[in-house]
Amino acid sequence: MNLDALLLSFRLAAVVSATLLILALPLAYWLAFTRWRGKFLLESVVALPLVLPPTVLGFYALIALGPRGPLGRLWQFLFGHTLAFTFAGLVIASLVYSLPFAVQPLIASFESLDRRLLDASSILGASRTRTFFRIILPLSWPGVITAVVLSFAHTLGEFGVVLMVGGNLPGVTRTVSIDIYDRVQALDFAAANRMAFLLLFISFIVLAVVYGMNRRVWSPWLAK
Amino acid sequence: MVAVAREVTPPMLFVDIRKQFRATGSRPFLLDIRETFAPGFTVLFGPSGAGKSTLLDCISGLLRPDTGVIKFNNEAFFDSALHLSLSPQLRRTAYVFQSLALFPHLSVDENVAYGLSALSSPEQQERVERILPAFHIEALRRRKPGELSGGEKQRVALARSLVTQPQLLLLDEPLTGLDAALRQAILQDLRAWNAANRIPILYVTHNREEVDAIGERVVALINGRVQEWRSPCRPRCPAEYGAGAGGRVRESVARARGRAAPR
């Protein structure tokens, strides 16, 4: 078992899901509660990573993060090297790749709230921020947990994007999924099997939690 | 020394608005209102879809009228000519919805205290302690809305709205689904509160018994327009409204009923 690759994968998934939550909350709030005719365009952009082949995403990420890309040049200016083949580059590419997995459960949760609760909060004098933290968020826990768990699991399983952007550097960008691929190429099926099974097991637990949560104790609050 | 007599102007709500709206499953109406609401109860009476809830939503700031003016005393809530619309947070208006909208994850005392966040802790405490017994809900303070009966929920919703000492109270069918005895009891609490705090109260209902029970002043809303009866209501209260467009007042029936019931 390649412990380095496993720890790297977990580190990547943890950083990405935490960061994604912070980015996805305002985006999901805007998409759920704003009425704008052009909203469908933004929704399409957010959902793109769901249908785009990972190598397409990985390719564009490589260009953007490389020495000639906008992000790459900025990073180079700040830190002296490009983002391609770095952990930071993986994080940025993964944020885009897992974005819909964080945003969509949040939108579903927000939209299922009784609007009159938000109205009542405004009428009682609460600002939009206060309404968000005291009413919307506490009543959207299933959505938040689903968003974190799904983006974590999704990032854990990344392959195409990581391969393109990461460069397969051991300890830096060689995640478990890449390592499994390497082991198979090297005909070491035993090692590949161990890691593949572990990922399978973790993914299953994750999904069981998500599905189990969406029908339990939280339902009375979401009823409307 | 000359004593100067100060004239206290009673708080008045002035509404002069037009709004296109569509009740579910019917043609669009134009809500067209020009009314002044004085302190005390004004019953907004009319069939479903006549525009009563839309009117309350406009007054509270949740909906924006198409054109017109809404003023409370000399403070403009809404003025389409000036592109001015005060947010609901700033209107010091209390609004109890038909669905009550109690926060399900907060206890009764947290719900009641929700609108008091601008006050200091001791002040919040004091106001909550005063209003809970006024609406007979002190025993329920730690419970969540899911653990309350229908009547208890209504009382909590009223307490939550009134503890903020609003300058205007909007009630959208607040007593539906309650039995007559409970309705009487809650109305009594409300009336007691109103005796001590004279503010305009707009009470929406399509229930004739409630109209009779409260009836300081009745404004009837049909298809977005107003027809009014001043109190005392009898014998000229409308006996019934036809559903949908063109409901008609059967005045002869109303007169006959008025004569039949000696008061």
Side-chain angles (χ1 to χ4, degrees):
Chain A
M1 179 80 73
N2 188 341
L3 211 57
D4 269 355
L6 197 59
L7 288 176
L8 185 66
S9 287
F10 271 97
R11 203 156 64 99
L12 181 64
V15 171
V16 168
S17 50
T19 313
L20 213 43
L21 187 63
I22 299 173
L23 294 177
L25 278 173
L27 187 55
Y29 180 89
W30 195 88
L31 285 172
F33 296 119
T34 314
R35 252 168 286 182
W36 177 48
R37 234 168 292 164
K39 207 163 73 159
F40 73 100
L41 291 170
L42 186 56
E43 287 171 326
S44 305
V45 170
V46 167
L48 259 181
L50 286 172
V51 296
L52 224 47
T55 39
V56 171
L57 202 55
F59 172 68
Y60 283 119
L62 190 60
I63 302 293
L65 300 173
R68 272 192 274 249
L71 283 173
R73 276 193 300 205
L74 177 66
W75 205 266
Q76 180 126 40
F77 174 71
L78 292 172
F79 299 107
H81 58 83
T82 65
L83 279 169
F85 316 136
T86 63
F87 182 76
L90 276 194
V91 171
I92 293 177
S94 305
L95 287 176
V96 178
Y97 177 68
S98 297
L99 184 68
F101 290 83
V103 171
Q104 305 219 348
L106 288 176
I107 293 181
S109 238
F110 292 165
E111 285 182 343
S112 71
L113 289 177
D114 178 9
R115 290 305 167 96
R116 281 311 205 188
L117 290 176
L118 313 184
D119 289 345
S121 181
S122 300
I123 295 201
L124 289 167
S127 63
R128 270 201 281 235
T129 314
R130 183 154 187 259
T131 301
F132 181 74
F133 284 105
R134 284 224 68 196
I135 307 295
I136 298 178
L137 215 47
L139 293 176
S140 301
W141 274 128
V144 171
I145 294 183
T146 304
V148 170
V149 161
L150 280 185
S151 48
F152 184 90
H154 193 243
T155 309
L156 207 56
E158 262 189 68
F159 180 74
V161 179
V162 172
L163 192 60
M164 299 282 279
V165 177
N168 197 4
L169 305 171
V172 181
T173 60
R174 179 181 288 165
T175 59
V176 176
S177 39
I178 308 279
D179 208 29
I180 293 173
Y181 180 71
D182 275 353
R183 295 295 97 226
V184 169
Q185 298 282 64
L187 302 179
D188 182 0
F189 291 117
N193 184 44
R194 280 194 293 271
M195 291 189 290
F197 186 77
L198 183 65
L199 269 191
L200 175 68
F201 183 69
I202 293 173
S203 306
F204 177 73
I205 296 289
V206 159
L207 284 178
V209 165
V210 168
Y211 276 102
M213 178 153 305
N214 282 334
R215 64 191 82 203
R216 270 199 311 121
V217 200
W218 319 91
S219 38
W221 291 353
L222 296 182
K224 243 337 143 170
Chain B
M1 284 258 270
V2 180
V4 181
R6 278 189 55 223
E7 193 182 293
V8 180
T9 26
M12 304 284 252
L13 172 70
F14 172 68
V15 178
D16 179 7
I17 57 172
R18 259 78 37 212
K19 177 149 187 77
Q20 280 281 347
F21 76 101
R22 180 196 299 270
T24 36
S26 68
R27 350 179 299 257
F29 290 132
L30 178 66
L31 178 67
D32 188 349
I33 306 261
R34 192 191 160 84
E35 287 290 323
T36 304
F37 299 97
F41 283 90
T42 301
V43 177
L44 278 177
F45 181 49
S48 311
K52 312 186 295 290
S53 301
T54 307
L55 176 60
L56 294 194
D57 282 354
C58 287
I59 294 174
S60 62
L62 294 174
L63 275 184
R64 208 175 275 216
D66 298 329
T67 56
V69 170
I70 301 178
K71 276 210 283 212
F72 190 85
N73 284 343
N74 279 318
E75 186 186 11
F77 278 177
F78 173 79
D79 192 332
S80 58
L82 301 176
H83 299 290
L84 168 74
S85 181
L86 205 59
S87 74
Q89 287 84 344
L90 300 175
R91 297 196 186 193
R92 282 194 54 220
T93 298
Y95 190 173
V96 180
F97 306 118
Q98 198 170 350
S99 63
L100 303 181
L102 293 179
F103 304 127
H105 60 303
L106 300 179
S107 64
V108 164
D109 53 1
E110 285 171 336
N111 260 281
V112 171
Y114 188 83
L116 301 177
S117 58
L119 301 177
S120 67
S121 251
E123 249 190 281
Q124 288 186 34
Q125 185 88 331
E126 193 237 340
R127 282 217 205 169
V128 170
E129 293 308 319
R130 252 191 298 142
I131 204 154
L132 291 183
F135 284 92
H136 310 105
I137 48 175
E138 2 24 323
L140 308 172
R141 56 187 333 152
R142 287 261 153 267
R143 300 222 202 134
K144 295 259 166 70
E147 304 159 38
L148 302 176
S149 71
E152 290 167 344
K153 282 194 232 188
Q154 313 279 26
R155 293 196 140 112
V156 173
L158 282 171
R160 180 177 72 173
S161 295
L162 296 177
V163 78
T164 57
Q165 288 172 4
Q167 55 188 3
L168 175 60
L169 178 59
L170 308 173
L171 301 168
D172 194 349
E173 313 216 28
L175 303 179
T176 24
L178 299 181
D179 62 58
L182 206 43
R183 259 190 268 160
Q184 275 306 327
I186 297 182
L187 267 178
Q188 203 132 315
D189 291 342
L190 201 50
R191 259 198 261 254
W193 190 89
N194 188 37
N197 307 270
R198 293 289 293 174
I199 59 172
I201 301 180
L202 269 61
Y203 189 108
V204 162
T205 182
H206 61 256
N207 182 329
R208 249 220 77 201
E209 286 161 26
E210 278 177 21
V211 175
D212 294 343
I214 301 169
E216 279 180 29
R217 183 179 170 233
V218 180
V219 171
L221 205 57
I222 311 175
N223 293 355
R225 305 190 88 95
V226 164
Q227 298 176 45
E228 182 196 331
W229 288 263
R230 293 203 165 273
S231 70
C233 204
R234 288 176 215 87
R236 299 182 70 78
C237 257
E240 57 193 274
Y241 287 101
R248 242 179 294 143
V249 174
R250 278 161 231 173
E251 277 229 83
S252 48
V253 179
R255 257 188 234 121
R257 278 201 193 164
R259 263 184 241 129
R263 285 283 159 163

